Amino acid sequence: MFGPVSVILVGAGHRSEWYGKYALEHPDLMKVVGVADPNPIRREAFRKMFSFPEENCFHDAEELAKKGKIADAVINGTMDNLHVSTSVPLMKAGYDILLEKPFALSEEEMWNLYSVYKETGRKMMICHVLRYSPFYQAIHKEIKDGVLGEIVSIEASEYVSYNHMATCYVRGKWNSFKACQSGMLLAKSCHDLDIIMWLMSKAPKAISSFGSLYQFRPEKAPHGSGTRCMVDCPYVDTCDYSAKSMYIDHPERWRFYVWTELEGKENVTIEDKIALLKGNSPFGRCVYKCDNDVVDHQTISISFEDGTTASFNMISGTGKDERTIHIVGTKAEIYGSFEDGVYTLRTIDTRPGCECQCITKNPLEGLDTRGHGGGDQRLVEDFVKYVKGEKTTPSLTSLEDSVYGHQAVFLAEKSREGGNTQTFKQI
């Protein structure tokens, strides 16, 4: 294939926009030629941003699929519950797809999509963007180069900050299974389980899990608190989770989620935003008195066919977002923080008075770290190569590569709800 890969953005949200901007920075490699989204304001915004004709604006994926194949590929950034229903007709129409995670919301959906993927022979890449961060790429290379020997165990944790949790998973659109058909683990942490499967590179056998909604419940609310922070709550200026401190004092931090109702309004003022939070906006609610039902902490244990193990913890309400990982091998171990971008390689040192030798490494030094530690742009670059049939990196995650990580999520939820161990289906 010669020239730039032509793509259509399905779902005019911030993930599609971020991936699509690769075309603005690298017009010789990728070109955005259309959009599909039911929101006319966003369709027009994308049309102006990427300069394509109005005839290439579609209401949804179904309308696009009926048009036939008018581009090389699709970047599917729709909401989680639309990923399968939008991707199936597009694959059947001949499109290769870059699909945002999670690629399915249930085992049934997962195997349905996998069946169409095998049937059509289309290329489908899942946006497990953490694989493209220099941090995890460097750790993966250490393992593949044999520096750690055989992997014995992996321990990974994701700490979800108080403002991230409150905005997206308590007040926001991922706060309940009823609202988006996915739990906290699938919406937030399928990246982490994918990383575990990628680094282990072997078939998982069984999984067990425990977790609950502990903190963000009515009985945990301060005595005498109201239902809407800026309307009837005496703690509006002191509560860590106050909508005032989160969204008015920091109006840009979560703007893409909190201020969507103000889209299309010119010259938006801080008074407009205050009025929105005082009105019916879900982001103005007391964080302890919402309709959320997803867990705020969860622990998972996984065993693999060869007897090795892995564990994962998701814990919310922390001071900052952070991912940590500790890998123990037969020759060495690695401990690191994704947010810090640094990991330490530790090896046994048998010299008198010594226990271990430590080498600290910073794989991010001098690199572009915008978007998931620099992973977003590298992911799109690999997708372009994938569509063209060129050599890709070891980070590329085809649909097939992503099955075990997603299956781990579905089985962990079954285990958490049923209090028993679940067994993986092999592919």
Side-chain angles (χ1 to χ4, degrees), residues 327-344:
I327 309 170
V328 178
T330 55
K331 292 182 179 180
E333 60 186 294
I334 279 177
Y335 180 82
S337 165
F338 172 72
E339 273 64 31
D340 293 340
V342 174
Y343 66 87
T344 299

Side-chain angles (χ1 to χ4, degrees), residues 4-25:
V5 169
S6 57
V7 302
I8 294 176
L9 304 178
V10 177
H14 82 287
R15 296 309 298 160
S16 292
E17 178 181 342
W18 185 251
Y19 293 139
K21 282 182 176 178
Y22 180 85
L24 301 180
E25 297 181 9

Side-chain angles (χ1 to χ4, degrees), residues 225-292:
S225 60
T227 58
R228 298 195 69 82
C229 300
M230 300 183 69
V231 176
D232 59 359
C233 187
Y235 302 99
V236 65
D237 292 315
T238 58
C239 178
D240 291 336
Y241 292 97
S242 166
K244 178 178 179 292
S245 64
M246 281 193 180
Y247 312 126
I248 299 302
D249 295 345
H250 299 88
E252 294 299 309
R253 184 163 57 187
W254 295 104
R255 62 181 178 80
F256 207 96
Y257 297 121
V258 180
W259 312 125
T260 54
E261 292 181 52
L262 297 175
E263 283 184 347
K265 180 180 175 65
E266 294 184 4
N267 303 317
V268 174
T269 65
I270 198 70
E271 287 74 24
D272 293 327
K273 294 177 179 180
I274 291 172
L276 186 66
L277 293 180
K278 285 184 175 181
N280 296 321
S281 169
F283 297 100
R285 298 178 293 175
C286 172
V287 77
Y288 300 101
K289 300 174 183 179
C290 293
D291 55 350
N292 56 304

Side-chain angles (χ1 to χ4, degrees), residues 35 64 105 138 160 181 191 236 245 250-251 271 281 291 335 393 398 402:
V35 65
L64 171 60
L105 299 183
V160 185
Q181 290 86 58
H191 276 314
V236 65
S245 64
H250 299 88
E271 287 74 24
S281 169
D291 55 350
Y335 180 82
T393 72
S398 69
S402 190

Side-chain angles (χ1 to χ4, degrees), residues 301-335:
S301 296
I302 306 170
S303 65
F304 291 80
E305 293 286 355
D306 62 353
T308 56
T309 58
S311 64
F312 173 70
N313 291 294
M314 183 286 297
I315 306 168
S316 69
T318 57
K320 72 170 187 174
D321 288 316
E322 185 177 29
R323 285 180 163 98
T324 62
I325 193 163
H326 189 182
I327 309 170
V328 178
T330 55
K331 292 182 179 180
E333 60 186 294
I334 279 177
Y335 180 82

